[in-house]
Amino acid sequence: MTHSIIIVDDHPLMRKGLTLSLNSEPDLDVVAQMESAEEALEQIDDLMPDLAIVDISLPGMSGMELLKHLQARHEGIKTLVVSRHDEVLYAERAIRAGARGYVMKLEAADMIVQAARQVLGGGIYVSNEINERLLLSMAEGGRERLMQSPLELLSDRELEVFELTGKGISTRDIAERLHLSVKTIESYRARIKNKLNLESATELMQRAVQWVENEAG
């Protein structure tokens, strides 16, 4: 039996590398590659793949939002995240949004086939560290003791606004990109400042830029 797979990632070389690795296996077949969540949602009804491999940072709608859409509309399609973002901050969020696995891009070439097979087989694929955190979270009935970084206090949407701020995108452009009002984005920023104990918009910008640069490095 051959499993059909789509890849949603805005980096052509990453899509090509993942496709080569997966298509080298007789039971795995990449049937489409998309560079945006919107493109994926347009084609998903026609393709109905067994697995969608999704990046978190996409132009327009984020990968996290795409996961939630797929979970709500197509529960039968399994999802696996492949991202450069730190798994400590994003893996648990992705699992809560409906993903069945999380692979760091640095490890993707070695792990993608194993991860895809595990998810397609009904399992969950995460690193040992994240698996331990998820189990602890369940055992303790919450996430409070697992918080290691102040950024973990942010909601998915707040973290998205924080990242876009760090990329130097204006409030108006963030609002257009997320299909929200400028007032709503300003409200998110106020909440982020409060949660991170930041005094001013300048401090928020500096912290966000520093974080984005660290993530990219």
Side-chain angles (χ1 to χ4, degrees), residues 105-151:
K105 280 190 174 180
L106 290 173
E107 302 170 347
D110 300 324
M111 303 295 187
I112 192 62
V113 171
Q114 182 186 344
R117 285 221 175 95
Q118 191 152 326
V119 170
L120 284 163
I124 289 180
Y125 185 93
V126 290
S127 69
N128 289 336
E129 181 188 355
I130 297 303
N131 190 41
E132 190 174 321
R133 285 166 62 87
L134 290 170
L135 289 171
L136 275 171
S137 180
M138 287 168 58
E140 293 170 2
R143 305 173 62 245
E144 291 76 16
R145 294 183 204 173
L146 298 182
M147 299 293 186
Q148 294 182 345
S149 157
L151 291 182

Side-chain angles (χ1 to χ4, degrees), residues 2-204:
T2 302
H3 297 286
S4 59
I5 301 170
I6 64 167
I7 297 172
V8 189
D9 193 304
D10 60 334
H11 295 92
L13 286 176
M14 192 68 200
R15 292 198 305 268
K16 185 177 181 180
L18 292 175
T19 299
L20 283 171
S21 295
L22 293 162
N23 281 349
S24 66
E25 302 296 317
D27 58 328
L28 304 175
D29 180 25
V30 177
V31 295
Q33 301 176 37
M34 295 91 165
E35 61 181 8
S36 71
E38 289 83 355
E39 193 181 347
L41 289 174
E42 278 176 19
Q43 299 183 43
I44 203 82
D45 288 326
D46 294 328
L47 294 169
M48 288 305 290
D50 299 307
L51 175 67
I53 295 175
V54 177
D55 188 10
I56 284 178
S57 290
L58 296 169
M61 180 190 293
S62 72
M64 201 70 75
E65 290 298 307
L66 175 59
L67 291 175
K68 293 171 186 175
H69 276 283
L70 293 177
Q71 173 81 349
R73 284 172 44 182
H74 300 289
E75 209 175 330
I77 299 175
K78 295 180 171 68
T79 50
L80 170 64
V81 170
V82 175
S83 176
R84 64 177 174 77
H85 283 300
D86 184 0
E87 62 179 1
V88 170
L89 189 56
Y90 277 92
E92 193 175 339
R93 293 171 188 269
I95 300 295
R96 286 203 310 271
R100 303 302 299 269
Y102 194 99
V103 179
M104 295 281 286
K105 280 190 174 180
L106 290 173
E107 302 170 347
D110 300 324
M111 303 295 187
I112 192 62
V113 171
Q114 182 186 344
R117 285 221 175 95
Q118 191 152 326
V119 170
L120 284 163
I124 289 180
Y125 185 93
V126 290
S127 69
N128 289 336
E129 181 188 355
I130 297 303
N131 190 41
E132 190 174 321
R133 285 166 62 87
L134 290 170
L135 289 171
L136 275 171
S137 180
M138 287 168 58
E140 293 170 2
R143 305 173 62 245
E144 291 76 16
R145 294 183 204 173
L146 298 182
M147 299 293 186
Q148 294 182 345
S149 157
L151 291 182
E152 292 186 60
L153 294 167
L154 302 183
S155 69
D156 293 344
R157 184 63 94 185
E158 287 163 358
L159 188 57
E160 191 173 4
V161 170
F162 184 75
E163 181 182 2
L164 294 172
T165 299
K167 290 179 176 176
I169 299 172
S170 70
T171 303
R172 186 170 296 281
D173 287 343
I174 292 175
E176 284 182 15
R177 186 163 172 167
L178 302 183
H179 307 294
L180 298 169
S181 70
V182 169
K183 192 173 181 180
T184 300
I185 300 303
E186 288 171 347
S187 174
Y188 278 126
R189 280 189 165 154
R191 272 187 260 167
I192 293 167
K193 281 194 295 183
N194 185 46
K195 287 182 177 181
L196 300 184
N197 293 317
L198 302 173
E199 297 293 328
S200 64
T202 303
E203 210 175 328
L204 170 60

